[in-house]
């Protein structure tokens, strides 16, 4: 892959054309993206609750092993949380008065007067949902809002011959989704934040990152010296090509000198204006015998906690205006990210 190298640190606009800070709830455009609500195997025989962009949702499988249905986690009758209910005869059952709905959120039974007509507003407010990459994805935008802006990104390695899939975990962060994205495209923090796992403060110098805008966001390539890779000892170099699909999905393609391929799918979901989650799956070209999945997950669990220990203490909201922070040559990824968020919320750019 040949990447051009525009330098956001020298070509940035002298005047900031947008809000100083990004607050997601102030910009309806963020409702038009797909977000990973949970791993698919989290939704089994009963309803589960998740919150996306401040909206509490209920997820359930009307048929065991079948497609997931998603709706607002609120009964139209008396506002009960439907995630406290259960699934019976392919119907979601409200825990308060036993009302029942089908997979499309249509009212099927009101037990107190089962033969009476159902109230006009008794149905559920449904949410678009799909399953891909072992995750349940939701888009909150209704047809009146234009629906999703783009489909989920393609990940050709997922399910391809020679690649194994290692579903990891869902981690919770008390920081904005933007802070977590920025952290994941910031090679400069590795030597210090991750000094107890794979970083080395005495070897923090970086090579200049290559950077390219794309129709869906941007791609950046970097090489970072690391003390070791997951489950191993001995220093090496990690070459990473990061595909950033705005607003909050990333595919990090990592290779090592011995040829090991390691792709990290990072699905970051905003819980609200100040909190987010990351659901992560790893794809690798080695085998379980080479490196057990449990060791990979345990290592990344520590790495995510190292990030959380710092990110959870950053102030919110997320700054967009360049004047609000100092910037160095290592911040080219961050500056482009902030510029593209600004263009997104001001309507000057939309992904495709």
């Amino acid at each position: 892959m040949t990447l051009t190298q525009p330098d956001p640190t020298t070509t940035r606009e002298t005047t900031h054309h947008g809000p100083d800070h990004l607050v997601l709830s102030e910009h309806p455009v963020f409702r038009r993206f797909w977000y990973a609500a949970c791993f698919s195997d989290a939704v089994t025989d009963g309803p589960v609750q998740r919150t996306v962009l401040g909206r509490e949702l209920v997820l359930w499988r009307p048929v065991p092993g079948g497609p997931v249905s998603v709706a607002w986690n609120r009964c139209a009758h008396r506002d009960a949380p439907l995630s406290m209910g259960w699934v019976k005869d392919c119907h979601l059952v409200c825990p308060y008065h036993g009302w029942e709905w089908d997979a499309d959120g249509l009212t099927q039974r009101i037990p107190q007067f089962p033969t009476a007509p159902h109230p006009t507003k008794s149905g559920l407010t449904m949410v678009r949902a799909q399953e891909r990459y072992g995750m349940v994805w939701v888009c909150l935008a209704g047809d009146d809002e234009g629906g999703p802006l783009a489909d989920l990104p393609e990940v050709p390695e997922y399910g391809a011959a020679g690649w194994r899939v290692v579903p990891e975990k869902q981690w919770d962060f008390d920081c904005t989704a933007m802070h977590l994205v920025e952290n994941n495209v910031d090679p400069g923090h590795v030597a210090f934040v991750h000094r107890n796992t794979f970083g080395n403060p005495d070897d923090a110098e970086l090579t200049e990152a290559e950077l390219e805008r794309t129709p869906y966001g941007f791609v950046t390539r970097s090489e970072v010296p690391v003390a070791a890779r997951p489950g191993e000892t001995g220093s090496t170099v990690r070459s990473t090509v990061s595909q950033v699909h705005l607003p909050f999905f990333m595919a990090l393609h990592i290779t090592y000198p011995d040829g090991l391929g390691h792709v990290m799918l990072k699905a970051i979901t905003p819980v609200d204006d100040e909190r987010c989650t990351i659901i992560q799956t790893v794809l690798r070209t080695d085998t379980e015998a080479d490196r057990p999945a449990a060791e990979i997950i345990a290592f990344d669990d520590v790495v995510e906690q190292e990030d959380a220990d710092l990110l959870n203490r950053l102030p919110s909201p997320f700054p967009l205006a360049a004047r609000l922070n100092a910037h160095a040559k290592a911040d080219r990824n961050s500056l482009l990210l902030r510029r593209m968020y600004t263009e997104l919320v001001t309507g000057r750019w939309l992904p495709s």
Side-chain angles (χ1 to χ4, degrees), residues 225-238:
V226 295
R229 66 189 183 196
E232 298 182 3
T233 59
S235 61
T236 185
V237 175
R238 188 176 77 171

Side-chain angles (χ1 to χ4, degrees), residues 47 58 73 81-86 93-95:
V58 59
N73 192 24
L82 298 175
S83 57
M84 293 180 64
W86 54 91
V93 182
C94 178

Side-chain angles (χ1 to χ4, degrees), residues 83-103:
S83 57
M84 293 180 64
W86 54 91
V87 178
K88 176 185 177 183
D89 298 330
C90 302
H91 293 167
L92 177 64
V93 182
C94 178
Y96 200 0
H97 295 91
W99 289 26
E100 300 181 15
W101 299 269
D102 64 15

Side-chain angles (χ1 to χ4, degrees), residues 187-188 190-192 198-207 223-227 235-237:
V190 170
F192 300 95
F198 66 106
N200 181 358
D202 296 326
D203 192 12
E205 187 172 345
L206 300 173
T207 58
E223 290 189 351
V224 179
V226 295
S235 61
T236 185
V237 175

Side-chain angles (χ1 to χ4, degrees), residues 43 60-69 131:
V43 188
W60 77 100
R61 294 188 191 275
V63 178
V68 172
S69 293
E131 292 185 72

Side-chain angles (χ1 to χ4, degrees), residues 198-270:
F198 66 106
N200 181 358
D202 296 326
D203 192 12
E205 187 172 345
L206 300 173
T207 58
E208 186 169 352
E210 300 175 19
L211 190 57
E212 178 188 24
R213 289 188 65 149
T214 67
Y216 55 79
F218 63 92
V219 176
T220 178
R221 183 195 300 271
S222 63
E223 290 189 351
V224 179
V226 295
R229 66 189 183 196
E232 298 182 3
T233 59
S235 61
T236 185
V237 175
R238 188 176 77 171
S239 300
T240 304
V241 178
S242 301
Q243 298 175 349
V244 182
H245 297 257
L246 289 185
F248 310 125
F249 178 80
M250 288 172 290
L252 276 56
H253 300 252
I254 300 170
T255 55
Y256 293 93
D258 64 0
L260 173 67
H262 182 105
V263 177
M264 304 178 77
L265 304 184
K266 293 177 172 285
I268 296 173
T269 296

